[in-house]
Amino acid sequence: MTASPGLQAEDRPDFERALHQALRTAEIREALGRSGSSGGTDIQRLRSQALVESEAIATAAAPEYAAYLRQRAAAATAASTSPDPSAAAVTVASAASAVRTAPFTTAGGRGLLPALAVLTPALAGASAAAFLLLGGLLRLSGSQRETADALLTAGLTSATIAAVTLAAGMVCLVVTAVRHRSSPPDRQPRPHRRPHAHPHPHPHPHPHPHPHPHPPSGSHPPYAWRRDDAAVATARDAWLRALLHRGILPFLRDRLKMSHTLSRTSQKSEKGST
């Protein structure tokens, strides 16, 4: 046989609460009244005796206590090995952010071509004007004819580039305007929001208190925590019932019987001596 687990320090408050409940039962109160010792001193004496014998009393509910410890250890193990939901939330958030920013990046790439279509004719026209002006001045002065010819050639080339790019930009503009004019407008109706049946929240919401403390956030998935916590609570309640009915109450009855027997014996001895 395996030895029964000893009462752990974190479970002693539960033992004390069960002892307080047992001392307040009608059976123990009536037994104290029959023995003529229903004062607070006798209750404190019984409480002190039960606390001293807590280990022996707890052995009466050893199977239930062992099951309770197993459930509690299993819940703690599941909490330590479960994935961190906060990390998963960060991953999902980063993925969503990447999806949201992707269209803007693509749009930025598409917006480069219109910018070039606008800047190229302007720069080419300005260059053509500068080259032609410098080349004409040098030819009129009669000096550096080769440089003047090169500048005039560069000016004509820039003017040609400006004219071609301007014509291409105008063609693209016309095609885009015709395409937008020929495309049918979006006739999908916009969804209308229906007014809520209860625009104002209920002034007195029904609370749903949880009998046990919630686990720390980020330590365990919520559904698993509800399941594990319910199993631990069920095992704890079963242990406390067994502790109360098979351990504490029988101990208090025995101590009250012993106290009643001792008082009767002392009374008989006093009568015999008189």
Side-chain angles (χ1 to χ4, degrees):
M1 293 180 61
T2 58
S4 59
L7 190 63
Q8 297 186 5
E10 59 267 27
D11 297 323
R12 289 192 176 275
D14 287 336
F15 180 89
E16 294 179 4
R17 282 190 290 268
L19 176 60
H20 179 73
Q21 180 183 356
L23 290 172
R24 293 175 62 88
T25 56
E27 176 188 359
I28 301 301
R29 292 290 185 178
E30 291 175 359
L32 287 171
R34 286 194 301 267
S35 63
S37 57
S38 57
T41 305
D42 298 303
I43 294 177
Q44 291 298 327
R45 177 176 53 82
L46 288 174
R47 182 192 301 273
S48 301
Q49 292 175 355
L51 291 177
V52 171
E53 300 293 335
S54 59
E55 293 291 341
I57 296 173
T59 56
E64 289 79 5
Y65 186 56
Y68 171 48
L69 292 181
R70 285 195 299 269
Q71 288 290 344
R72 194 165 63 186
T77 303
S80 61
T81 58
S82 62
D84 191 354
S86 60
V90 170
T91 304
V92 172
S94 60
S97 176
V99 170
R100 287 195 300 268
T101 56
F104 295 98
T105 305
T106 307
R110 290 198 301 265
L112 182 62
L113 293 178
L116 290 177
V118 173
L119 291 177
T120 302
L123 293 177
S127 300
F131 291 152
L132 291 175
L133 180 61
L134 291 176
L137 291 176
L138 289 176
R139 177 169 287 188
L140 289 176
S141 64
S143 63
Q144 300 181 356
R145 295 185 60 85
E146 294 181 357
T147 303
D149 293 339
L151 289 174
L152 290 175
T153 302
L156 292 175
T157 303
S158 298
T160 304
I161 294 174
V164 171
T165 54
L166 181 61
M170 293 298 295
V171 170
C172 292
L173 181 62
V174 171
V175 170
T176 302
V178 172
R179 183 180 302 171
H180 282 288
R181 182 178 299 177
S182 61
S183 60
D186 188 7
R187 296 181 180 179
Q188 294 181 355
R190 294 182 179 181
H192 298 282
R193 292 185 178 180
R194 295 183 178 180
H196 297 285
H198 302 283
H200 301 287
H202 198 277
H204 300 288
H206 298 285
H208 297 281
H210 200 276
H212 302 283
H214 291 284
S217 62
S219 62
H220 201 274
Y223 293 104
W225 260 110
R226 292 193 187 104
R227 182 176 62 250
D228 294 342
D229 198 39
V232 172
T234 302
R236 176 176 174 270
D237 292 340
W239 167 60
L240 290 176
R241 285 195 301 270
L243 180 65
L244 177 65
H245 294 289
R246 297 206 310 261
I248 298 176
L249 285 175
F251 176 81
L252 296 178
R253 294 190 196 106
D254 292 341
R255 290 305 171 113
L256 287 172
K257 288 179 181 178
M258 291 173 58
S259 176
H260 184 62
T261 302
L262 289 175
S263 63
R264 292 181 62 182
T265 304
S266 61
Q267 289 176 4
K268 288 181 180 181
S269 63
E270 289 177 359
K271 289 181 180 181
S273 62
T274 56

